[in-house]
Amino acid sequence: MASVDLSDIYRGYIACLNGQDWQNLGSYVHQDVHYNGDFVGLPGYREMLEGDFRAIPDLHFDIRLLICEPPRIASRLQFDCTPKGALFGMPVNGKRVQFAENVFYEFVDGRIRSVWSIIDKAAIAAQLNS
């Protein structure tokens, strides 16, 4: 699969997330998806994402960096949002925060099969302590 194809698929996936188009999530995410090394399956992955949007109603995935080397993609996502309560165990409680996520994906048959995510929690903590 050409890198342009994976990049296009990934951008479609991000649009699917931002549109909360859960019915089409399976077009981008493999049924047997793993998250940070753990099998979660498509239903578990969808449940995790839906929970993210419940906790952060204004959640929006903003691609800042995208590197494609099939069958993998590396992306830096930026967030500027207002979580309702705790976020990653920190009492954000309606305060606007900005942070980044570095995330790596591995694709199988044109869909995301593995996701490895690292979120900049230190950036959130610094904003809460300022």
Side-chain angles (χ1 to χ4, degrees), residues 101-119:
E101 175 184 20
N102 295 315
V103 62
F104 305 89
Y105 304 86
E106 186 168 57
F107 286 72
V108 172
D109 299 327
R111 292 184 293 157
I112 296 166
R113 173 74 187 275
S114 295
V115 180
W116 298 274
S117 168
I118 301 167
I119 295 172

Side-chain angles (χ1 to χ4, degrees), residues 5-30:
D5 295 337
L6 271 189
S7 177
D8 288 345
I9 291 169
Y10 181 71
R11 290 179 192 284
Y13 162 73
I14 293 298
C16 178
L17 297 184
N18 285 332
Q20 298 182 54
D21 184 8
W22 308 127
Q23 296 301 321
N24 287 312
L25 187 62
S27 300
Y28 302 99
V29 178
H30 198 281

Side-chain angles (χ1 to χ4, degrees), residues 26-71:
S27 300
Y28 302 99
V29 178
H30 198 281
Q31 184 68 33
D32 296 328
V33 67
H34 289 71
Y35 181 78
N36 284 345
D38 294 325
F39 173 79
V40 293
L42 182 57
Y45 194 71
R46 176 179 170 168
E47 182 179 311
M48 176 187 70
L49 290 165
E50 288 175 331
D52 291 344
F53 277 94
R54 280 191 301 276
I56 312 168
D58 63 347
L59 184 61
H60 179 82
F61 294 76
D62 182 12
I63 301 170
R64 293 294 176 93
L65 178 65
L66 180 60
I67 299 170
C68 187
E69 187 174 313

